[in-house]
Amino acid sequence: MYFVYIIYSTSLDKFYVGTTDNVERRLIEHNSKEYLNSFTCKGVPWVLKLSYLCDSSEKAYKLERFIKKMKSRKFIIKIIDDKKILDAICLNKL
């Protein structure tokens, strides 16, 4: 099982999109500043806004890239509010 996840930092007012096989562990890693040179170490604390289960790591990475290519905060907020949008994307694009 792989997930696409979206986390949010109030201090940066930014979203971060990623892929993982364990959402809880990954959120802890982001908030622990484990990777000091990473973008997310600057935005602690991060809050999980979306976790979306994918059939495979390949689909999860493709969906992550699709979301990032949109470069749209409005799009990210829409998919957080309605996960069905991601279902449609997976059926039609991936």
Side-chain angles (χ1 to χ4, degrees):
M1 294 190 323
Y2 271 80
F3 299 86
V4 172
Y5 65 93
I6 298 174
I7 54 178
Y8 176 75
S9 166
T10 54
S11 62
L12 295 177
D13 191 26
K14 299 267 185 201
F15 291 98
Y16 177 85
V17 181
T19 305
T20 187
D21 61 346
N22 185 324
V23 177
E24 292 171 5
R25 175 185 46 83
R26 193 68 183 108
L27 182 60
I28 290 168
E29 289 172 356
H30 285 299
N31 283 321
S32 70
K33 298 184 180 182
E34 188 169 325
Y35 306 105
L36 293 176
N37 294 326
S38 71
F39 166 75
T40 58
C41 78
K42 298 166 185 70
V44 173
W46 290 91
V47 177
L48 182 66
K49 292 295 186 175
L50 175 105
S51 174
Y52 184 80
L53 178 63
C54 294
D55 295 340
S56 67
S57 61
E58 180 184 3
K59 285 186 180 181
Y61 287 116
K62 284 182 179 180
L63 182 56
E64 176 190 3
R65 281 191 301 273
F66 180 86
I67 294 168
K68 287 180 175 180
K69 283 182 182 179
M70 295 297 287
K71 296 185 180 188
S72 171
R73 181 183 183 92
K74 287 181 182 180
F75 179 71
I76 288 174
I77 292 169
K78 279 185 180 183
I79 61 177
I80 289 170
D81 290 342
D82 186 1
K83 286 185 184 181
K84 291 178 186 176
I85 295 169
L86 294 177
D87 293 336
I89 292 167
C90 288
L91 284 174
N92 296 317
K93 302 261 186 211
L94 307 180

